[in-house]
Amino acid sequence: MSQINKLKILNDPIYGFITIPNTLIYDLIQHPYFQRLRRISQMGMSYLVYPGAHHTRFHHALGCMHIMQKAVQTLKFKGVAISDEEENALYVAILLHDIGHGPFSHALENSVVEEVHHEELSLLFMEQLNAEFDGKLSLAIQVFKGEYHRKFMLQLISSQLDMDRMDYLKRDSFYTGVNEGNVNSERLIQMLNVQDDVLVMEEKGIYSIEKFLMARRLMYWQAYLHKTSVVAELTLTKILKRAKELAIKGEVLFGSPFLLFFLNNKIELNQIDKTILDKFSNLDDYDVLGAIKQWQYHDDFVLSSLSKMIINRNLLKIELSEDKIDKIKWLDLKEKYAKQYNLSDKDVEYFVFKGKIKNEAYSKSSEPIRILKKDKTIETVVEASDQMHLKALSKTVTKYFICYPKVID
């Protein structure tokens, strides 16, 4: 019997050919936990705004691994010592960094699996895979948790200039057609270096960083925080919240066994064992959309109305404002809609609600992006930049919103 060739080459619309570097990576990609990412959309409900945004977490994870390979090659070329074991740990950690995402990426975090974040689930998946792969993921887990002594390795996976951001900005820009997000990840990677085990960017790459941060701000306003994307994501969260509310009361709902398990049970982080993890690994976008298609016809007015909004893309109206939403306007809208459809105070909040969104391209409170000057000194990117707009990009911009049904006059 011939041995399977595990050193495959994949074709990616962003980078061209992506190579799978070794058999461990191939086996991880082939694992059902990872294959599930083919059925998890990268941008949640954004396809309701940008019809092309149907790419998945699977695409993104492979893209991240590819540019991590480029980053490792660049750093090694510049004399940074990275052992084969460390190199492999970087590939495994970046490949699996999003493995804990639920259906539509973020909707479940706020509704069905409450207060359990995808990073925590990613770690649980990695630990389970480590058990199955005889401890071969131990170093990757150490790096992912920030427990490895070489700080730059975590920064490549999670920082303000990591491989994750470099891929999703370029990829999401491509699939949405929002050209402003198209970052020059190749140049950014070529400018990377390491000093005292800390990731730095060479001074000649400073303009590329400025463009990268500007692209991030524009992608947030035009894509991730586009008002229709925001209202669609919130509607999806409210559908799942309502379904859970009905399920806990004993209402019989249509759904896959895996979705119904999470609707019928309150799951906390410390309860998640292999059995629950396996159930979660069977949940994907199809379970949720399949259920919502049926819930349109449910007797519960709230559940059926919200479900129809998503299926038919007839969403709530959303208004954005620089100022806080006027409380009187909010109460007035609630009262009108409650009266119109004979809803309780609690139920009307599924249709009339307010909130805020924040856009922070560069966080001054997080670890800074460091610039390696020609004289070998290090400055933060804000100190090193001669551009005033970089200081502006590090300010958090907050916008307030109110959502309500379009039928109100």
Side-chain angles (χ1 to χ4, degrees):
M1 186 176 166
S2 64
Q3 197 164 3
I4 302 169
N5 171 26
K6 294 184 176 183
L7 302 178
K8 301 282 187 189
I9 293 174
L10 307 166
N11 202 346
D12 180 76
I14 312 294
Y15 309 114
F17 292 114
I18 290 177
T19 55
I20 295 175
N22 57 54
T23 57
L24 173 65
I25 298 288
Y26 176 88
D27 290 337
L28 286 169
I29 290 169
Q30 283 295 95
H31 196 282
Y33 286 173
F34 191 82
Q35 288 291 317
R36 179 185 77 99
L37 297 181
R38 290 182 185 272
R39 304 185 300 278
I40 305 288
S41 59
Q42 170 74 9
M43 289 183 68
M45 305 303 294
S46 293
Y47 68 89
L48 291 176
V49 181
Y50 297 105
H54 276 289
H55 55 304
T56 65
R57 292 270 159 196
F58 184 86
H59 276 144
H60 166 60
L62 291 174
C64 289
M65 183 196 68
H66 173 74
I67 56 174
M68 182 66 86
Q69 287 172 279
K70 299 287 181 200
V72 167
Q73 284 166 14
T74 299
L75 294 175
K76 279 183 157 183
F77 180 74
K78 292 179 181 180
V80 179
I82 301 172
S83 70
D84 290 349
E85 194 190 0
E86 287 173 331
E87 183 176 340
N88 205 43
L90 284 169
Y91 299 156
V92 170
I94 197 69
L95 184 75
L96 303 180
H97 78 283
D98 272 348
I99 201 167
H101 267 293
F104 293 102
S105 290
H106 292 283
L108 250 81
E109 282 182 52
N110 306 310
S111 49
V112 176
V113 187
E114 294 161 61
E115 291 165 28
V116 180
H117 295 288
H118 69 269
E119 293 92 347
E120 294 165 323
L121 282 162
S122 291
L123 192 55
L124 291 173
F125 275 120
M126 285 166 84
E127 284 165 350
Q128 182 55 43
L129 286 166
N130 197 31
E132 291 180 31
F133 283 86
D134 303 320
K136 288 178 187 166
L137 281 66
S138 297
L139 185 57
I141 291 170
Q142 224 183 320
V143 171
F144 187 78
K145 288 164 83 172
E147 292 172 358
Y148 193 58
H149 67 279
R150 304 195 74 186
K151 195 175 176 183
F152 80 91
M153 289 179 66
L154 175 63
Q155 290 172 314
L156 285 167
I157 292 153
S158 179
S159 68
Q160 297 205 73
L161 195 65
D162 58 26
M163 302 304 107
D164 176 34
R165 289 182 186 190
M166 281 191 210
D167 181 80
Y168 76 62
L169 286 172
K170 202 169 177 65
R171 190 167 299 279
D172 297 349
S173 160
F174 176 86
Y175 280 98
T176 56
V178 177
N179 292 327
E180 288 81 355
N182 187 8
V183 296
N184 190 347
S185 53
E186 293 82 2
R187 176 156 173 83
L188 286 164
I189 286 165
Q190 287 302 318
M191 297 297 113
L192 287 176
N193 212 327
V194 170
Q195 185 157 312
D196 303 324
D197 266 337
V198 172
L199 197 65
V200 292
M201 176 67 71
E202 290 166 5
E203 190 176 10
K204 57 190 171 184
I206 195 160
Y207 297 121
S208 300
I209 293 181
E210 288 174 2
K211 185 175 182 300
F212 168 80
L213 294 174
M214 182 57 82
R216 188 168 144 78
R217 165 142 296 174
L218 294 172
M219 277 299 284
Y220 267 84
W221 284 139
Q222 282 190 255
Y224 313 128
L225 297 177
H226 185 290
K227 65 179 190 172
T228 309
S229 297
V230 169
V231 74
E233 190 97 8
L234 288 166
T235 304
L236 178 61
T237 305
K238 286 183 178 292
I239 289 170
L240 293 167
K241 191 178 166 196
R242 181 60 167 194
K244 183 151 194 161
E245 202 178 287
L246 294 172
I248 300 258
K249 282 182 190 165
E251 189 86 38
V252 177
L253 291 173
F254 174 89
S256 72
F258 307 109
L259 180 61
L260 294 177
F261 173 80
F262 288 98
L263 289 177
N264 288 312
N265 296 283
K266 189 171 167 53
I267 305 296
E268 289 174 5
L269 187 63
N270 59 4
Q271 297 173 295
I272 301 176
D273 56 11
K274 186 182 184 305
T275 307
I276 292 176
L277 205 58
D278 283 344
K279 282 183 165 60
F280 186 84
S281 77
N282 276 290
L283 262 188
D284 56 46
D285 291 8
Y286 298 96
D287 295 80
V288 172
L289 265 186
I292 290 174
K293 276 177 71 183
Q294 290 299 317
W295 293 346
Q296 293 178 91
Y297 309 108
H298 197 276
D299 292 341
D300 181 72
F301 174 78
V302 175
L303 186 65
S304 66
S305 302
L306 293 173
S307 297
K308 282 173 190 155
M309 287 177 192
I310 290 289
I311 296 299
N312 302 319
R313 199 199 176 278
N314 186 14
L315 301 164
L316 295 166
K317 188 169 174 59
I318 178 170
E319 287 178 15
L320 287 182
S321 167
E322 306 288 326
D323 306 310
K324 287 189 176 177
I325 301 300
D326 178 45
K327 195 176 178 184
I328 293 169
K329 178 181 180 173
W330 174 56
L331 291 171
D332 188 39
L333 284 166
K334 275 175 71 175
E335 193 185 331
K336 273 187 189 176
Y337 200 63
K339 203 177 285 179
Q340 194 169 345
Y341 286 99
N342 194 23
L343 291 170
S344 67
D345 277 357
K346 192 164 174 276
D347 285 355
V348 79
E349 287 183 2
Y350 279 100
F351 299 97
V352 183
F353 50 89
K354 57 193 177 78
K356 60 185 176 183
I357 49 178
K358 289 183 177 182
N359 188 346
E360 188 178 49
Y362 180 72
S363 169
K364 283 194 285 192
S365 58
S366 300
E367 201 176 335
I369 296 173
R370 294 177 177 85
I371 303 297
L372 179 65
K373 308 273 279 187
K374 289 188 178 73
D375 62 5
K376 299 296 177 197
T377 58
I378 290 177
E379 287 185 351
T380 70
V381 69
V382 175
E383 291 165 342
S385 171
D386 58 4
Q387 300 291 317
M388 284 305 292
H389 67 243
L390 205 58
K391 291 178 177 63
L393 284 174
S394 56
K395 284 194 174 76
T396 302
V397 179
T398 303
K399 289 188 182 178
Y400 300 89
F401 65 81
I402 184 165
C403 300
Y404 57 90
K406 290 171 181 167
V407 291
I408 293 179
D409 298 327

